[in-house]
Amino acid sequence: SDQVRARGARVRDEGVEHYQARRYFQAIRSVEAALERAAESERRDLLTLLARFQSAVGVELFNAGEGRQAEDAFRAALGHAEDSYAHFGLGFLHFVRLEDPKALEHLTEAARLEPTYGKAQKLLALLDYRQGRLALALTKMREARRLDPADAEAGALLARWDLETRWTGSFREKENGRFFLRMDPDLPGSRLEEVAGRLERARRDIAERLSLGDLPPRSSRGTRRITVVLFSEKRFQAATGSLHWVGGVFDGQIKLPVKPGRDAAAEAELESAVRHEMSHFAIRELGPECPNWLNEGIAQHFERAGQAEAVKARLKDGAARRVSFKNIPSRLWEVDDEDLARWSYLQGLGFVEFLSLRYLPFRLRLCLEAITRERSVSKAFEVTYGAPFEELEALWWKEIERG
């Protein structure tokens, strides 16, 4: 009847309001209730809404570190209707897991369903780059930037890749143990061996502290080398600008700025960058689904020693700003607020320092492996540390407050 349909329309509109207010479960319930009253001609549009709302739940689950549940939500969404966000979410999950053929399938479909969605083009570009197709990667990243001019990450990647096509063809190349090194011709040749030595020491030290037999782990496919690109400081800054406030980049390859001078400050800065980016490489090998805050926390932890007390003091001073780790995006959407990003990194470092001191560093490896196995950050922490994640987080903050 018309009355029943009118009630169904009101319930549907309530669902849309819930969705816009990020009350996704209420939005889903509203659409499901509207479906019970809907005429056959109205069901398609309602199922499309239901798919979008369930995709939003998938995003929230991913951001909370629940990769397995996020995947279930995205697949449930596609069970109702084709949805670009659900395909993007699945594509992103497979991309993070290094499952490139499946990632390509879903990201291509996301781009077909929503051609103006810049993030799908960005991930397609990153897939091409990871597989060595730089020209295709550049074309897709330019399109991603055109579709979303505000995407700072796309802009930084485009600048860096464009630099690679213009300059790195003249870079010197050398295989050195576990490394394949490419070096800016503006740097003196002696720096290559010097930095190679730093890289090897960092590789061995991080492997030892994580109780790994080797890095890359022996279970990795074949004997692989770690690609490292050494830029002069000027060219590195031209590629990254002010968008990256960490003194190095890991995008599947380790990219480092090298100053021509050898003063103590410059050498200390280079050592920190080497250890930081080598840590990111180790994390990618062990737990590719590791959330950003934990990834950065571990990398900072291995970057330099003896910072635990200073970090605790900074966290205690800023404790009013605390953010639950479950409310920090894992990666699916970027953190646009640089202050929030810096604070999230500080929290990540403080928590990793706490875990390392209380439970020893090798358990970080066990936790990363458990994240990959369980596809749940909460479950991985409980399996590794014997306590629920929320309990560990609360215990850590109590320790910070006590000073």
Side-chain angles (χ1 to χ4, degrees), residues 347-392:
Q347 279 197 183
L349 172 58
F351 191 52
V352 169
E353 294 282 352
F354 162 77
L355 294 173
S356 183
L357 286 168
R358 182 172 285 236
Y359 301 101
L360 302 181
F362 80 94
R363 287 191 182 274
L364 295 171
R365 170 182 60 83
L366 298 180
C367 187
L368 290 168
E369 291 172 341
I371 289 172
T372 296
R373 184 175 64 251
E374 304 292 340
R375 290 184 168 159
S376 163
V377 171
S378 291
K379 182 68 174 173
F381 270 87
E382 189 162 1
V383 166
T384 305
Y385 296 104
F389 179 79
E390 293 81 358
E391 186 178 311
L392 287 166

Side-chain angles (χ1 to χ4, degrees), residues 26-326:
Q26 294 95 317
I28 289 169
R29 285 198 293 270
S30 292
V31 174
E32 288 173 339
L35 277 164
E36 293 174 3
R37 302 179 173 91
E40 192 60 35
S41 61
E42 299 168 323
R43 291 184 63 81
R44 182 176 177 180
D45 287 345
L46 287 169
L47 287 169
T48 298
L49 279 178
L50 183 57
R52 178 52 55 94
F53 296 170
Q54 287 187 316
S55 293
V57 171
V59 172
E60 292 224 324
L61 286 166
F62 179 86
N63 283 338
E66 298 299 325
R68 194 183 303 278
Q69 292 182 54
E71 183 173 353
D72 290 344
F74 292 134
R75 294 197 185 281
L78 293 176
H80 296 297
E82 285 294 285
D83 182 71
S84 61
Y85 282 15
H87 278 295
F88 177 80
L90 287 170
F92 192 92
L93 283 167
H94 289 302
F95 173 82
V96 167
R97 295 170 187 166
L98 309 179
E99 298 166 349
D100 288 3
K102 291 179 181 178
L104 178 62
E105 176 187 342
H106 285 290
L107 292 169
T108 300
E109 188 62 12
R112 184 189 70 81
L113 290 168
E114 194 166 342
T116 60
Y117 190 47
K119 286 183 172 61
Q121 290 296 328
K122 179 168 71 174
L123 278 184
L124 285 166
L126 285 164
L127 271 179
D128 281 328
Y129 181 81
R130 188 152 76 188
Q131 295 172 10
R133 299 188 291 263
L134 182 54
L136 283 172
L138 271 167
T139 298
K140 289 174 184 171
M141 194 59 77
R142 287 191 183 101
E143 178 64 5
R145 183 68 165 161
R146 184 188 70 81
L147 292 170
D148 186 1
D151 188 334
E153 182 185 37
L157 288 167
L158 184 59
R160 194 184 314 143
W161 295 353
D162 186 56
L163 179 148
E164 287 185 37
T165 61
R166 289 186 287 118
W167 289 343
T168 57
S170 63
F171 277 31
R172 293 190 290 274
E173 297 182 351
K174 182 175 181 178
E175 291 185 4
N176 188 305
R178 287 302 183 90
F179 298 98
F180 175 70
L181 296 159
R182 306 180 74 205
M183 192 174 80
D184 192 323
D186 283 355
L187 291 169
S190 60
R191 289 298 256 164
L192 190 145
E193 295 296 335
E194 207 175 298
V195 177
R198 289 184 184 277
L199 287 160
E200 178 60 16
R201 288 191 293 275
R203 183 185 75 84
R204 289 176 179 273
D205 181 59
I206 290 167
E208 181 180 347
R209 294 181 69 186
L210 291 171
S211 297
L212 274 172
D214 208 348
L215 181 62
R218 293 186 189 279
S219 59
S220 296
R221 297 180 297 278
T223 301
R224 296 184 299 111
R225 286 187 169 83
I226 305 166
T227 298
V228 181
V229 185
L230 307 177
F231 291 93
S232 65
E233 187 178 27
K234 180 180 178 181
R235 284 182 174 167
F236 184 84
Q237 289 303 320
T240 60
S242 59
L243 296 168
H244 293 270
W245 33 271
V246 176
V249 168
F250 177 70
D251 58 6
Q253 301 176 359
I254 293 174
K255 293 175 178 170
L256 298 165
V258 180
K259 294 181 179 179
R262 290 177 172 80
D263 60 88
E267 293 300 278
E269 194 175 316
L270 176 60
E271 179 69 15
S272 292
V274 164
R275 294 180 63 82
H276 189 102
E277 304 311 327
M278 187 62 67
S279 299
H280 282 314
F281 175 84
I283 294 161
R284 203 278 299 271
E285 293 291 300
L286 294 167
E289 292 185 62
C290 175
N292 261 354
W293 63 263
L294 180 58
N295 195 323
E296 288 296 339
I298 294 172
Q300 291 172 92
H301 170 69
F302 286 131
E303 179 180 332
R304 63 174 70 87
Q307 55 189 331
E309 292 306 314
V311 170
K312 284 171 70 173
R314 289 171 63 194
L315 286 165
K316 185 176 182 179
D317 288 344
R321 299 177 59 195
R322 76 175 64 179
V323 181
S324 169
F325 286 120
K326 287 197 172 184

